[in-house]
Amino acid sequence: MDVIIQLRSRPETTLAVTRGAARLLVDLGYAPLAEVTLPNGRRADLMGIGPKGDLLIVEVKSGLDDFRVDRKWGEYAPFCDAFYFAVAPNFPEGVLPDEPGLLVADGFGGAVVREAPLTPLAPARRKALTLAFARLAALRAAGVNAERLSL
C-alpha cells in the first residue's frame, strides 16, 4: 500500500497547531484567546485563563525554521504563570529548550508532552492581566476587532 504524506505550508501548519492547541486548552479547563498582543508589543499565539485564574501563554512553532528565527518567546514571562510551545507531531522536539512546557497538536486536538514550570504572577499584575483579558474577550464577543491587552 502506498502511503501519501501531505506536506502543509507554514500557514496551514500554524493554523492546525493553533486550533489543536486551543482545543486542548479547552479540554484542560482553560478559556483561550488567539493572537493576543501583550503590553510589551509581543503577540502571543494563544493566551488562556484557567478556572483558578492562572494565565498561560502558548507559542506555536510551525517548523524548525520558525523556531530558529523567532526568539521572542522569552519576553512572555511577565504576562503568564506558565509558558508552552505547541508544535506539530512531526516537529523535532529535541531542538526545543527544556524549560518551557510542550504541547503537540494537530487540527483536531493535542496532548501535553511536558508540563510548564509555574512561576506565579504577583497579585497586582494578575488582577490587571485578568481584567485586561476579560475586557479583550468581551470586546471580541461583541464583534470588535480587538487584539491588544490594555493594562
Side-chain angles (χ1 to χ4, degrees):
M1 174 177 12
D2 291 330
V3 176
I4 298 174
I5 298 174
Q6 181 180 3
L7 297 176
R8 292 181 168 172
S9 69
R10 183 173 168 184
E12 289 172 329
T13 300
T14 300
L15 181 62
V17 173
T18 301
R19 184 173 55 235
R23 288 178 175 179
L24 173 62
L25 293 182
V26 170
D27 289 346
L28 295 173
Y30 287 83
L33 289 176
E35 297 187 12
V36 175
T37 303
L38 302 170
N40 65 358
R42 297 295 183 200
R43 193 186 82 226
D45 294 320
L46 287 170
M47 186 172 189
I49 188 165
K52 295 181 181 178
D54 55 313
L55 294 164
L56 60 78
I57 291 178
V58 177
E59 174 71 3
V60 173
K61 291 296 162 206
S62 61
L64 191 53
D65 288 341
D66 182 23
F67 173 71
R68 287 183 174 151
V69 300
D70 185 3
R71 297 295 182 167
K72 70 181 185 284
W73 58 271
E75 297 177 40
Y76 293 142
F79 306 101
C80 63
D81 297 296
F83 175 80
Y84 287 87
F85 281 116
V87 298
N90 61 349
F91 189 93
E93 296 171 20
V95 302
L96 296 171
D98 293 333
E99 303 84 42
L102 179 60
L103 311 176
V104 173
D106 60 19
F108 303 100
V112 178
V113 174
R114 181 176 59 236
E115 289 289 342
L118 296 177
T119 307
L121 293 164
R125 179 170 279 273
R126 176 181 313 288
K127 180 179 179 182
L129 286 168
T130 299
L131 289 172
F133 186 92
R135 289 182 48 78
L136 180 60
L139 287 168
R140 288 183 180 183
V144 176
N145 186 15
E147 292 182 5
R148 182 175 284 281
L149 283 182
S150 299
L151 296 182

